[in-house]
C-alpha cells in the first residue's frame, strides 16, 4: 500500500493538429498529474482532433477550438506548438502566473542580430532556454534557470542533439571552438507542411541535403549553446540532411582536439557530464547510437570517440526529434518549472524495432 | 490525495532477445503492478540485454540467462516468446499456480489434425485462447475463458486482426461462412530471423506475397475463431503480404452478404460488439484504418462497410502486430487472469506520425 | 557490322512535371526511334524541367511550356499525362493522324453509366484500350485493336495488374465471375498531389486502406476487362491499399473455382496465355512476385495457385505502377500503333535491390 | 539510315548472386557491345540466377557456376564482385590480355601500410584506379591511367562521392588539406550479408552511425584520392551513416577555406572541373542533391557553397552506391579500357520518384 499526493495541472495545447502539438498531447496523456483542457488549432478549428491525430484515441472526439488567448486562458500550463511569430502576442495576454512553454523558435535566441539574420523581423526577446542538461561554463546546468520559471523556450530539435553531443567537450576545453555538425533528420521535423519535397513519393528511398552553407536557422542556436557551455564564442558549420523516416535525428558532431586528449579521458568527461542525467544515455564503449532505439522516448543516446589521425573528437547523438527534440523536452521543462520530479510521466523506453 | 492498493507481480520473460520478447518487456516496464525478474535467451544468454534491445534503457544492463525451467521458476507470471515447439516442455516444469502466457503457436489450435497439417509433429494440446474481445456463438466473450486461467495461448498476429474484423458479422449471421482475407504486415512479424528476404535492402521499397494458397499457419486459426463466433465451420482464403515497415498489420476482410444487410445495420452490429471494448475502436464513418495510428498501442482500429454491387461486407482492421497482435494481448490476458483491471499498464495511444 | 533503318518519331508530352509524365519522358529518353519535342505543364509552365524532374538529366534545361493544342501540334505522337477531364478537348484539336495516347481515365470506360457513376459529368467516349496482352473472349488479344490506332487509352495502374492476373482464368472458364481483388500500391499512384495523407511523415511506416467498398474508380475498369476476357459480366470487389514505397503494385486476386481445376491445369492455362508475351512473366513454381523486382521495368510478374480448401484460385501480380502500370504501357502501345517492334526501347529489367 | 560498326565483347561476372554483381549484370544487359558469358557464385553455384536476382528477367534461367579461373577464362572482360581477398589469386590465373575489373577493395590502395592497417594481411598491390573524372595534381585526369589498361580497381562507393566532391577544391588549392566527410548510405552498400543490424525491421525508420572515428576502410582511400588531386597529404575525418533506403549515398564534405574564396570563384572551379564530364553533374545554383534522382543512374549530382561564417567550403554529392558508386563505374572503366565511347550503354537518367 502506498499513499500518493496528487496535484492536477490543467494544461492547454495550442497547435494541436500539428506534429509537435500531437506529440505534446501524446505525452500528456501518459502524465499522471495533468488534465488536458483546451486543444486549439488554426484552420482546423471546429474539427475533431481524431481526424488529424487518429493515434490519440482517448482524445479522438475532442473538438479543436481557435487558437486565441481567450481559449488558452484559465489553464495552469499552456504549450505553444505554433509556427514562429505567433508566440509573443499570445503569451502577452496570458497571466504571468501561467506557465507558457513555447515549442517554437521565437524566444530561443538571445542575440537580436542573430534573430534578425536567421528569422527576420523584430526580435521578441528570449526566455529561459529549455535544455536542462546543458552544462554551463561557470558550472551548473541550464536546469537551474528553469526552476519556477513561467516562460520557457523549448530548443530546436537539431540544437538539442548537437549541443548535448558537444557541450561536455566544450565545457572541458577538449576541443577547439570550431565545430562541424552534419545531422540527419526524419521528415516530421518539417511539420505537416504541404510541400512537394515532403511528399512520401519524394522522400522515400532518398536522402537529401538542405539549408547548406550555414543558412539553417538552428545554426546560431547551436553556437549559442556551445558558447554557453564553453565560455567562448564557437563557430558552427551545420548541415541538415533529410532521411526517409518519420522521426529521429542522428547528429554527427566533430571538432579539432585542443590538446592530447586520449579516448579514456574523453569518455570520462562525458560520463561525468551525463551519468546522473535521466534522459541522456552514454552508450557502452563500442556501441553507436541508432535513432530507432529512441522512437517515442524522452532519451538522447550518445557516443564519443577520438579520431587520432584526424585529431578530431567525434560525438554522435540520436534522439526522437518530436520527443526529446521537442515535446518531451517541453514536458520535462514543465516538470522542472512546477517542481514535479523531472521524470514524471516521461519514459526513456523507445518503441523498437 | 488518493490511496492505492498495489500488488506486485513478479514476471519472467523467455525469449527476451527477440522482437516479441522485447515488446513484452517494453510493455511490462510501463505496467505499475509488475516487477521484471528473469530475462532469458537461447544463443544470446550471457550477453547484456541492451546489446539486443537498445531501446529498453532501464534494462540495458540486465544479463540474459539461459531459457530453462530453473531460471523461469519462482515467478508469478512467465511469458514465453519462443519459436513454436518449446513451450510444452517448459510449461510442464512450471507449477500449475504459475501463470504461463505463451506468445507462440503451440497451444492455439484445438484441432490436432490442423496442428499436424500446418505445423507438423505432435499436438501439445490447447490452452485458453487469449483473444478476450472475441464474441462467441452462444453469447459471451472469449474473455470469460481467461479469468483465473494459469495457461494462456496468445493469438497469432494475423488472426487477431482478421478475427476481430469479421467476428461480429459472423456472430450476427450477416455473412456467408466463406471469407477472403488479405493482410499486409510489417517485417517484425517474421521475428529477428536472418533470412535474405528479410534484409532491409530487399524489403524496403517493395511489397511481396508469401504463404499464398491457404498454406500460411494462421489460416486454421482464423477459421477456428470465426467458427467460434459464428457457430458453424468457416472457410478462409488467407493471403499474407509483406510491406516495407517494421510494424503493423492491415487486414482487408470480405465475405458475401447472407441477406440484405444495409450499411447502417452492419455498422450497428459492429458498434454493439465493440463499443464497450477498450482496445477495439470502430472508427467514425468515412474514416479508414491506418496502421501508423496504432504503432506501439494496444489498440485495433476497425472500419466496416457494404459493397452493394459485389454484395460483400468489407471490414478493414489495423493493429500493431507486436502490441495488440502479440505482446499487448499477452499483458491484457495477464491482467484478466490475475483479476487486475484489464487496461492496467496498457495504452491505446499510438506513436505517430 | 549491321545496317539499321531508323525512323524518328517526334513526340510531345503533356503534363511533364507530374509523375506519369516524368516516367513517360524517362522511357522516351531510352527509346531509339524518338525525338522529344514539346514538354508541357499547367502551373509549372515557364520553369525548367530539371526543377521538377531532377532525375531526367538530359532534359534538365528544357523549359516547360503551357499545355495547349498549339504547343502539342506538330508532333507525330502526343502523350497526355493529365488529370482526367482534360484529354477530350485537347485531342479534338489534334489531327486524326496524330497518335494521341492518354494516360488519364477519360477514354477507358465504354459504358457511359459507369463513367458517370464513378467520375461524374459527361462521358467523352472510349478509345482503343491499351492493354495489349489482355486475352479476349472470342480469341485474340486486345493488341489487335491497337495496330494503326491513332487514339489510345492507357489502362489504370490497378486494372493492369488485376486484369492480367485474372483474365486467363476468366477466359478459360476456370473461375466464377465474382472476384475479390486487394491491391497494395506505392504512393506515386496518387500523383504529386499535396494532400496531408500523402506526406512522407504520414505514409512511412504505415499501411492504410482507402476507397473501400467498391467506390474506387478502377473498379468498373477491372470489371470491363474481365468481362472482355470471360465473355460474361463480372462482379468485382476491389480494395486498394497504400503502402510505404514510392512505386509498385501487388495485386492479390482471388475467385471461386468454377470446377475441379487442379494446380497443374491452372498453371498451364496461364503459361499458354503469357509464354509468348514479352512483358508478362509467369514466375517459376513456388516463387511469388515482389514489386521490387519490377522497379522501373515494363514487366508484370505473376504467380497463380489453387487453394483447395477454400476452393479458390489465387493469382498475385506485381508491377511498377508508373512503368508497366502507366508510362511503359503507353510506350508499348505507341510501338504497336506505329508498327515498331513492340519491345522497342522498353526493358523488362528492374532496378533492384 | 545509319551504319554502325559493332564489336561484341564477351564478359563474365564473378559474384553474380550479390548486389554489386547483380548491378553489373543489370548494366551489361543494356550495353550494346556486350555478350554476357559466365555468371559465377560461391555457395549459390548450381542455382538459377533468377532465384537471387528476380529483376534480371532476361537472365532468370542462367545457372550460376563456381567462381573459378577455369569458368572465368575465355572472356574478354571479367568483372569481379567478390569480398576482398579473392581477387589476386583469380586475376593471376587470367591472361594479361583479359581485362579484369575488380569491384572489391584488393587493389585500390597504393600504400601497403594503409592496406595492412585497414584490411589486414598482405597487400596484393595496386591497379589503375577506376575513377576517371578525378583531377590530378599535375593536370590531367585519372582517366588517362585507364586507357588500354587490363587491370582496374573500381573505387569504393563512399570514396567516389567524397573524392569527386572535394577534389576540384583540393586541386585548385581552395581548401586546407584537412577535410570532414559525413556520408549517408543505403543498406545495399553492405551487400547481402545476413547481419541482424541489416534486417529490414532494424533499418527501417532508423538512422545509425557505424565505423566512427576514422576506422572505416574507405578513409585511407579518400585520403589517397584527395592527395592525388591536391598534391599534398590530406587528413580525412570520415563518418559513415546508415539510412533506411536500399540505395544511395549522400556525402556532405567540408574543409576550411585556404584563402578568401568567394562562392562564385568556387563555383567556377567546380564548373571547370566537371562541365565536360558526362557523369558528374553540377546542379544549378540553389539546388541541392537528392539521392533519389540518381537511382540506377551512372551519375553523380553535386553542389558546392561557401559558409562564410564558418570559413568552410561545403560540397554535397549524391550518387547511387551500386551504380556510379560501383557497377556503373566498372562499366565506364571497361569502356575506357576498351576504347569504346565512355558513355556506351550507360545512362545518366535516374528512376524517380
Amino acid at each position: 500500500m502506498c499513499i500518493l499526493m496528487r496535484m492536477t495541472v490543467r494544461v492547454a495545447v495550442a497547435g494541436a493538429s500539428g506534429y509537435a502539438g500531437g506529440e505534446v498531447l501524446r505525452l500528456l496523456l501518459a502524465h499522471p498529474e495533468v488534465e488536458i483542457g483546451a486543444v486549439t488549432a488554426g484552420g482546423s478549428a471546429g474539427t475533431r482532433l481524431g481526424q488529424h491525430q487518429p493515434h490519440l484515441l482517448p482524445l479522438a472526439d475532442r473538438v479543436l477550438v481557435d487558437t486565441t488567448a481567450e481559449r488558452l486562458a484559465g489553464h495552469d500550463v499552456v504549450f505553444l506548438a505554433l509556427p514562429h511569430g505567433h508566440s509573443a502576442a499570445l503569451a502577452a495576454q496570458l497571466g504571468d502566473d501561467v506557465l507558457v512553454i513555447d515549442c517554437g523558435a521565437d524566444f530561443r535566441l538571445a542575440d537580436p542580430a542573430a534573430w534578425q539574420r536567421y528569422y527576420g523581423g523584430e526580435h521578441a526577446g528570449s526566455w529561459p532556454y529549455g535544455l536542462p542538461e546543458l552544462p554551463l561554463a561557470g558550472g551548473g546546468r541550464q536546469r537551474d534557470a528553469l526552476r519556477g520559471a513561467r516562460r520557457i523556450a523549448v530548443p530546436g530539435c537539431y540544437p538539442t542533439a548537437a549541443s548535448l553531443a558537444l557541450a561536455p567537450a566544450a565545457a572541458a576545453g577538449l576541443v577547439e571552438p570550431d565545430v562541424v555538425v552534419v545531422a540527419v533528420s526524419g521528415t516530421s521535423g518539417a511539420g505537416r507542411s504541404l510541400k512537394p519535397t515532403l511528399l512520401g513519393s519524394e522522400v522515400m528511398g532518398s536522402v537529401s541535403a538542405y539549408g547548406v552553407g550555414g543558412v539553417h536557422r538552428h545554426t546560431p542556436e547551436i553556437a549559442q549553446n556551445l558558447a554557453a557551455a564553453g565560455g567562448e564564442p564557437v563557430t558552427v558549420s551545420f548541415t541538415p540532411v533529410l532521411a526517409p523516416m518519420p522521426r529521429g535525428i542522428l547528429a554527427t558532431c566533430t571538432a579539432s582536439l585542443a590538446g592530447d586528449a586520449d579516448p579514456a579521458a574523453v569518455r570520462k568527461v562525458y560520463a561525468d557530464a551525463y551519468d546522473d542525467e535521466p534522459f541522456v544515455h552514454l552508450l557502452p564503449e563500442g556501441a553507436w547510437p541508432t535513432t530507432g532505439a529512441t522512437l517515442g522516448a524522452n532519451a538522447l543516446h550518445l557516443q564519443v570517440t577520438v579520431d587520432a589521425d584526424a585529431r578530431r573528437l567525434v560525438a554522435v547523438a540520436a534522439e526522437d526529434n518530436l520527443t526529446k527534440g521537442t515535446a518531451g523536452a517541453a514536458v520535462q521543462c514543465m516538470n522542472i518549472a512546477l517542481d514535479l520530479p523531472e521524470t514524471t510521466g516521461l519514459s526513456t523506453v523507445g518503441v523498437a524495432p
Side-chain angles (χ1 to χ4, degrees), chain A:
Chain A
M1 188 171 70
C2 67
I3 300 180
L4 298 177
M5 290 289 297
R6 285 258 166 100
M7 61 182 281
T8 295
V9 181
R10 195 164 158 77
V11 175
V13 176
S17 64
Y19 292 152
E23 185 73 352
V24 169
L25 285 169
R26 185 179 75 83
L27 297 177
L28 292 179
L29 281 165
H31 197 291
E33 316 294 344
V34 155
E35 180 191 354
I36 298 174
V39 287
T40 83
S44 300
T47 62
R48 291 172 60 254
L49 184 63
Q51 192 178 324
H52 311 280
Q53 314 279 20
H55 60 299
L56 302 176
L57 272 196
L59 301 174
D61 291 326
R62 286 289 191 94
V63 175
L64 291 160
V65 297
D66 278 314
T67 301
T68 61
E70 290 71 35
R71 295 292 198 173
L72 297 172
H75 298 82
D76 303 310
V77 183
V78 174
F79 289 94
L80 303 177
L82 304 168
H84 72 82
H86 294 73
S87 302
L90 278 171
Q93 299 176 68
L94 297 170
D96 289 349
D97 55 333
V98 177
L99 172 54
V100 182
I101 298 179
D102 188 8
C103 296
D106 295 44
F107 296 95
R108 290 175 191 158
L109 295 180
D111 177 6
W115 174 268
Q116 284 186 327
R117 176 170 166 200
Y118 283 91
Y119 292 89
E122 199 183 350
H123 186 223
S126 69
W127 288 352
Y129 186 75
L131 190 56
E133 301 89 350
L134 186 71
L136 301 181
R141 300 280 166 145
Q142 179 60 19
R143 175 178 290 114
D144 304 329
L146 304 171
R147 298 192 203 285
R150 284 301 173 265
R151 295 290 185 274
I152 295 176
V154 176
C157 49
Y158 287 119
T160 295
S163 304
L164 294 182
L166 286 173
L174 296 176
V175 292
E176 300 291 344
D178 182 359
V179 309
V180 175
V181 175
V182 178
V184 183
S185 175
T187 54
S188 62
R192 197 175 254 160
S193 16
L194 293 179
K195 297 180 189 163
T197 51
L198 294 176
L199 285 174
S201 297
E202 307 284 326
V203 296
M204 289 186 288
S206 189
V207 162
S208 53
Y210 70 102
V212 187
V215 301
H216 192 281
R217 286 165 165 168
H218 287 178
T219 310
E221 193 179 336
I222 299 170
Q224 172 179 291
N225 294 344
L226 295 179
E232 61 181 330
V234 177
T235 298
V236 175
S237 165
F238 171 51
T239 307
V241 172
L242 195 68
M245 57 186 187
R247 291 172 175 236
I249 284 181
L250 189 92
T252 301
C253 310
T254 84
S256 292
L257 292 168
D260 284 330
D262 75 306
V266 166
R267 187 168 179 86
K268 183 169 187 326
V269 164
Y270 276 72
D272 289 349
Y274 293 132
D275 273 359
D276 293 338
E277 289 294 341
F279 299 122
V280 180
H281 180 66
L282 183 64
L283 289 166
E285 284 189 68
W288 287 90
T290 173
T291 64
T294 69
L295 185 75
N298 199 53
L300 183 133
H301 291 203
L302 184 62
Q303 186 56 287
V304 64
T305 195
V306 166
D307 181 337
D309 293 300
R311 290 198 42 76
R312 296 185 81 91
L313 176 143
V314 187
V316 179
E319 64 172 18
D320 183 324
N321 57 301
L322 287 180
T323 319
K324 181 55 183 161
T326 305
V331 172
Q332 184 183 349
C333 289
M334 176 189 79
N335 288 343
I336 297 171
L338 298 185
D339 206 23
L340 289 165
E342 190 169 334
T343 59
T344 308
L346 289 170
S347 171
T348 60
V349 178
V351 180

